[in-house]
Amino acid sequence: MAPAPVGPDPGEPAPPWRSALAVGLPPALLTLALCLYGIQQRQLWRDEHASWWAATLSWSDLGALTSNMDLVLAPYYVLLHLWAAVFGQSEAALRIPSALAMAAAAGSVALLGRRLLSPRLGLLAGLLFAVCPSITWYGQDVRPYAFAVLAASGSTLLLTRIIQGRGPAEPMRRALALAWTGYAMTVLAMGLTHLVTLMVLPGHLLLVAREFRRTPEAGAARWVLFGRWAVAAAGAVLLLSPLLLLGAGQSGQIAWNGRDWSDLGGLVKDLAGSSPLGWTLLLLGVLGGVSQLVLRQQVGPLICWAVLPVLATVATAHWLHLFLARYLLFTVPAWALLTAAAIGRLPGLVAQLTASRTPPRWVVGPAPTVVAFALAAVLAWPAQAAVRDDLGGEMDARAAARVISEGLRPGDGVVYEPGSSLRRALAYELRDRPAPEDTLVRRTAQQTGSFGALECEEPARCLAGVQRVWLLVAGTDQRPYGAVSDKVAKELKQFRTVRTADVPNLRVLLLERARG
């Protein structure tokens, strides 16, 4: 007698975990590959220098800093502090956590689309998300925005899974209790990564409300669902309330942000990282949302997720100053999902236009998905290729550090323009090399509990005995000593310029004290 076959029956459907892996893994791997490629090529910019500097402080100095500013970023600084202590402080080491978070977010987007739309459309949504140049850029950024995207998409996925997986059995109830606890933790994570991300919660409420309306026969079970969601969400927000209240007291930090309604067009480009891709996603996303709403499909939460944070931040821009693309990056998953929903409506639209009950085979199979992804990749390519270049307008601290290292002598000092972030930038680039003495510092940034040092009021006393000074001046400033104060300029007149090096957006001067 022939032996019984070993393994699953080929006629049986694949286990759910295999389907989930087939949908979620390709977008995650593509995102990770795009984020890791050239991750060390672009030099850190000023916000990344702030993250590095905060993460390298002692715990007491970090506490002093966040008591005065950046309290809402304290959880990220703590995470980065622990990470850098193990993996180092190179550009790649500091950015890899963001790359990993963004890859996990891409997988979450795909799995969410699998549940709300279909496996094929979920895969498309994840791939559309992956090729956005903005996703690659912030996946290579030493800031918490990739974690905010992951928290938003992961929290929405978990809530959808809870709603779709409810059951009466006792083991299911125990699993649900753990799942609701996990959901509360993801809401907490949204607030800890970036408080603006909590604007996803109205979309979550719509998810629950839709289930509430869809099952009127469930009776009390509907109220149990609503009550559990309310307790989980409100409990997480309650835990975040100290951060919300104390962070509001530091809102003056972002008062420089003057963007308003006139900048909505620019937001489309900034959110996608590419103007052609951004407008394409917007157009298809709107079409997908409207068409699915007409069919009473479950895209209302996605529309709320995509639109409400933008409207709320732009309406309050003059008071809260939160209307900024990087603060709203967590809405990109919703736009990718709505675009995929629009592609999913293509067979029905073609059937209506051709007056046919059965749409052509080419719009029913994988062809629309493949074409949509290929088009998105083509539109994103120019910006995707440029995403690893240094930011335009940023002073080239890496080149300045190289110039200083080549000519540095013991006892050299350095002078910065007031208010410049170059002090942190040069400290980073010279972290493993000899550096000139910061001549004019009276109190360091650690001592002031801020990002800026206090300079001495009598430059003559601080510069006494210094024979050579490196002066860093903005490249567009044609004044001999740049924007330094009159007192500092007076003392620098006792020096003569022996070398000038022009690097992008920056002028490096070596001054030597004149004899006699």
Side-chain angles (χ1 to χ4, degrees):
M1 185 172 61
V6 178
D9 184 351
E12 294 182 358
W17 66 267
R18 288 189 181 177
S19 172
L21 196 63
V23 170
L25 190 58
L29 291 178
L30 177 59
T31 303
L32 185 62
L34 289 172
C35 290
L36 290 181
Y37 176 71
I39 196 170
Q40 199 157 344
Q41 179 177 326
R42 185 181 74 236
Q43 64 179 301
L44 301 190
W45 67 295
R46 66 175 72 94
D47 280 12
E48 290 183 290
H49 287 135
S51 294
W52 163 77
W53 188 82
T56 55
L57 294 174
S58 67
W59 293 116
S60 59
D61 288 338
L62 181 58
L65 172 70
T66 54
S67 65
N68 294 321
M69 56 184 59
D70 271 5
L71 178 64
V72 295
L73 300 182
Y76 176 72
Y77 290 156
V78 170
L79 173 65
L80 194 61
H81 180 103
L82 298 173
W83 175 272
V86 177
F87 297 100
Q89 301 173 22
S90 69
E91 290 91 341
L94 294 173
R95 288 168 172 163
I96 281 175
S98 293
L100 296 175
M102 205 63 93
S108 298
V109 171
L111 294 177
L112 181 58
R114 170 177 172 263
R115 287 187 171 272
L116 294 180
L117 303 172
S118 71
R120 182 179 294 169
L121 295 179
L123 175 61
L124 174 60
L127 293 174
L128 292 175
F129 173 87
V131 298
C132 286
S134 61
I135 297 307
T136 304
W137 204 97
Y138 287 103
Q140 297 183 343
D141 190 40
V142 191
R143 299 298 276 176
Y145 307 116
F147 290 91
V149 176
L150 173 59
S153 55
S155 182
T156 309
L157 172 62
L158 182 54
L159 179 60
T160 305
R161 191 169 184 268
I162 291 172
I163 292 174
Q164 294 181 353
R166 289 182 301 142
E170 190 62 31
M172 179 67 75
R173 291 176 182 173
R174 288 195 293 269
L176 275 176
L178 291 175
W180 280 115
T181 302
Y183 171 73
M185 296 300 292
T186 61
V187 175
L188 186 64
M190 283 196 291
L192 292 177
T193 52
H194 205 270
L195 290 172
V196 181
T197 316
L198 293 173
M199 290 186 184
V200 172
L201 289 179
H204 290 186
L205 176 59
L206 284 184
L207 272 175
V208 176
R210 181 187 178 279
E211 185 69 10
F212 193 92
R213 293 192 305 269
R214 193 178 67 86
T215 56
E217 72 284 353
R222 299 183 304 161
W223 290 102
V224 171
L225 171 66
F226 179 79
R228 285 175 174 171
W229 174 80
V231 168
V237 173
L238 184 63
L239 290 174
L240 290 168
S241 56
L243 189 63
L244 284 163
L245 295 174
L246 295 173
Q250 298 178 356
S251 59
Q253 270 188 266
I254 54 175
W256 54 266
N257 179 24
R259 291 173 175 83
D260 54 19
W261 293 96
S262 62
D263 298 293
L264 274 174
L267 181 70
V268 175
K269 171 185 177 295
D270 293 340
L271 279 181
S274 160
S275 188
L277 179 62
W279 285 105
T280 301
L281 291 180
L282 177 63
L283 177 61
L284 290 177
V286 170
L287 290 176
V290 171
S291 62
Q292 295 287 347
L293 280 179
V294 171
L295 296 175
R296 297 185 178 182
Q297 299 298 317
Q298 50 189 6
V299 296
L302 296 180
I303 295 173
C304 187
W305 178 3
V307 175
L308 181 63
V310 175
L311 294 179
T313 53
V314 73
T316 59
H318 290 295
W319 300 282
L320 301 179
H321 310 288
L322 296 173
F323 182 54
L324 201 60
R326 54 181 177 266
Y327 296 170
L328 296 168
L329 192 70
F330 68 91
T331 63
V332 174
W335 287 110
L337 288 162
L338 288 171
T339 301
I343 302 301
R345 280 289 299 137
L346 189 60
L349 292 175
V350 172
Q352 290 177 1
L353 292 174
T354 58
S356 172
R357 292 185 178 181
T358 57
R361 184 176 301 176
W362 66 269
V363 296
V364 178
T369 301
V370 174
V371 171
F373 171 64
L375 176 62
V378 169
L379 292 175
W381 174 250
Q384 189 67 247
V387 82
R388 294 156 192 86
D389 296 338
D390 289 343
L391 278 181
E394 281 286 308
M395 298 181 181
D396 195 340
R398 183 182 290 174
R402 188 163 51 247
V403 170
I404 292 174
S405 291
E406 290 171 355
L408 186 66
R409 294 180 186 173
D412 282 1
V414 63
V415 171
Y416 304 93
E417 292 182 320
S420 171
S421 61
L422 274 173
R423 184 172 267 114
R424 288 190 303 275
L426 197 63
Y428 176 78
E429 296 297 340
L430 295 176
R431 64 193 182 281
D432 297 324
R433 290 178 281 176
E437 182 182 354
D438 202 341
T439 312
L440 296 180
V441 167
R442 179 168 62 89
R443 295 186 68 200
T444 64
Q446 291 93 324
Q447 293 171 330
T448 62
S450 68
F451 284 112
L454 287 180
E455 296 190 349
C456 56
E457 298 176 358
E458 297 298 331
R461 180 165 48 85
C462 295
L463 287 168
V466 178
Q467 298 302 313
R468 300 201 327 162
V469 171
W470 295 90
L471 175 63
L472 280 69
V473 177
T476 56
D477 197 328
Q478 298 303 313
R479 290 172 292 182
Y481 306 113
V484 300
S485 68
D486 292 340
K487 286 185 176 181
V488 174
K490 179 181 177 181
E491 294 305 317
L492 293 181
K493 289 178 180 178
Q494 301 179 34
F495 294 75
R496 59 187 178 90
T497 303
V498 296
R499 182 183 179 188
T500 300
D502 291 315
V503 300
N505 303 308
L506 186 62
R507 208 156 30 104
V508 183
L509 295 91
L510 175 59
L511 309 180
E512 191 172 272
R513 189 177 291 275
R515 300 185 181 277

